[in-house]
Every structure is written in structure tokens, then in C-alpha cells.
């Protein structure tokens, strides 16, 4: 794992356990709420994509990288829109079907064109990946209440229900 990947992984794991006020009304930890608001989150909004943005921006800021300013406008409250923004940007070559540590995994909700989910890849082993996700829960239920680790299959097949993996935004060298 390179320095950037390690920074993204470490930054994401530092937030494990952060909890929301049920209903996406805010966060228990005031400092975490301030950070989420600084990346654009507003009360009652889903926040998985905002969490991925927060992690990437903090990691790139630690490197004093100019990339942090360039990725800001590409992130969106919609994970799918974030994916499409990166795909159409100068960073398109980093949007792939291959995960690596520090990647943002992007899922689309079955039956939707814009709703989805995002998480930060910690590690990949065979056809599985371990992620840190915001607006999820460690027990595997549908209600997102916290930042938690989740194990998911790397599976791009179409489904009638649930999340469909559409790809990864890999870390952009600084």
C-alpha cells in the first residue's frame, strides 16, 4: 500500500463508530457534524457520499496536494453522480472496475438511475472487499446509522433488489 492509500484507509477507520441522530438529522459528535457540514451535508440528507468525500479531502489535505481542490467539485450527495462526475473529468482513468485500498466503491440502487451508496475500500481479497461506509450499520441491516466496516462481494451483476456495484474511483496520485 502506498502513502496515499494508507492515509485514506487510516482516515476512514478513524471515523468508525460515528453515529447519526436517527433520520439523518445530524450526528452525535458535534465535531464530526461540523466536518460533514463543511463538505456539504445538510440535515435529512443521506450521507455515505459525503463521508467518502470527507475522507478523501482530509487525506489529500494532509499531503498538501493540489488534487484536493480539484476533486471537491466532483463529489456530490449522490454516489452515482459522484461516479459519473469523476468518469467525465480529467481523472477518468482512475474510474475502474478494479478496487484497491483507498478506492471509493460506488453502488447503484436497483431500479434507480441516481440513488446509490459509497464506501472506502480498506482491502481486497479474491472476490471480497472490506469497506468503511458512512450511513450504514455493522449488523448488516438497511438502516444507516453509523460509520462501520462492511464486507461485500465484488460483484457487478444486475439485481432486482439491493445495491449493484458499478465501479471504483481509485486514489489519484499526488
Amino acid at each position: 500500500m502506498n502513502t496515499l492509500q494508507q492515509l485514506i484507509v487510516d482516515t476512514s477507520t478513524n471515523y468508525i463508530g460515528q453515529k447519526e441522530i436517527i433520520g439523518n438529522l445530524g450526528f452525535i459528535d458535534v465535531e464530526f457534524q461540523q466536518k460533514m457540514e463543511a463538505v456539504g451535508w445538510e440535515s435529512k440528507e443521506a450521507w455515505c457520499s459525503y463521508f467518502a468525500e470527507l475522507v478523501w479531502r482530509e487525506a489529500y489535505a494532509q499531503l498538501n496536494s493540489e488534487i484536493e481542490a480539484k476533486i471537491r467539485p466532483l463529489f456530490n450527495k449522490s454516489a452515482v453522480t459522484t461516479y459519473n462526475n469523476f468518469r467525465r473529468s480529467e481523472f477518468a482513468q482512475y474510474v475502474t472496475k478494479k478496487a484497491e485500498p483507498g478506492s471509493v466503491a460506488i453502488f447503484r440502487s436497483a431500479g434507480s438511475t441516481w440513488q446509490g451508496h459509497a464506501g472506502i475500500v480498506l482491502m481486497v481479497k479474491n472476490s471480497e472487499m472490506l469497506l468503511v461506509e458512512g450511513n450504514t450499520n455493522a449488523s448488516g441491516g438497511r438502516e444507516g446509522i453509523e460509520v462501520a466496516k462492511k464486507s461485500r462481494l465484488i460483484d457487478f451483476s444486475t439485481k432486482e433488489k439491493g445495491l449493484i456495484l458499478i465501479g471504483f474511483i481509485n486514489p489519484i496520485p499526488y
Side-chain angles (χ1 to χ4, degrees), residues 25-98:
L25 296 177
F27 300 92
I28 305 228
D29 182 296
V30 174
E31 183 180 347
F32 183 66
Q33 178 155 330
Q34 290 169 341
K35 289 179 177 187
M36 292 296 286
E37 288 171 343
V39 296
W41 174 84
E42 295 179 5
S43 181
K44 299 184 183 173
E45 288 184 321
W47 51 278
C48 60
S49 191
Y50 289 116
F51 174 70
E53 177 180 3
L54 173 65
V55 168
W56 266 39
R57 284 178 54 184
E58 285 189 355
Y60 279 103
Q62 290 179 60
L63 299 168
N64 295 318
S65 170
E66 294 175 8
I67 292 174
E68 191 268 337
K70 291 181 177 183
I71 64 173
R72 257 185 230 176
L74 301 177
F75 278 96
N76 184 278
K77 64 183 172 184
S78 160
V80 175
T81 300
T82 296
Y83 180 81
N84 290 330
N85 288 347
F86 272 88
R87 211 175 58 174
R88 290 187 289 264
S89 77
E90 66 183 287
F91 304 117
Q93 70 192 47
Y94 300 102
V95 178
T96 72
K97 298 287 187 189
K98 187 174 186 302

Side-chain angles (χ1 to χ4, degrees), residues 19-28 33 41-48 135-137 142-146:
K19 294 195 183 311
E20 74 172 32
I21 298 168
I22 301 298
N24 295 334
L25 296 177
F27 300 92
I28 305 228
Q33 178 155 330
W41 174 84
E42 295 179 5
S43 181
K44 299 184 183 173
E45 288 184 321
W47 51 278
C48 60
N135 204 21
T136 193
N137 70 66
R142 291 265 310 139
E143 179 60 34
I145 58 169
E146 65 185 331

Side-chain angles (χ1 to χ4, degrees), residues 91-159:
F91 304 117
Q93 70 192 47
Y94 300 102
V95 178
T96 72
K97 298 287 187 189
K98 187 174 186 302
E100 59 185 60
S103 297
V104 179
I106 303 288
F107 303 86
R108 180 180 55 80
S109 297
S112 174
T113 57
W114 67 272
Q115 291 179 315
H117 189 65
I120 302 290
V121 176
L122 297 180
M123 62 182 267
V124 179
K125 186 175 182 183
N126 302 320
S127 63
E128 289 188 50
M129 59 184 161
L130 183 62
L131 303 129
V132 173
E133 302 174 9
N135 204 21
T136 193
N137 70 66
S139 65
R142 291 265 310 139
E143 179 60 34
I145 58 169
E146 65 185 331
V147 176
K149 280 186 185 179
K150 297 284 278 264
S151 180
R152 294 189 186 268
L153 288 177
I154 299 173
D155 176 8
F156 295 96
S157 62
T158 303
K159 303 169 182 74

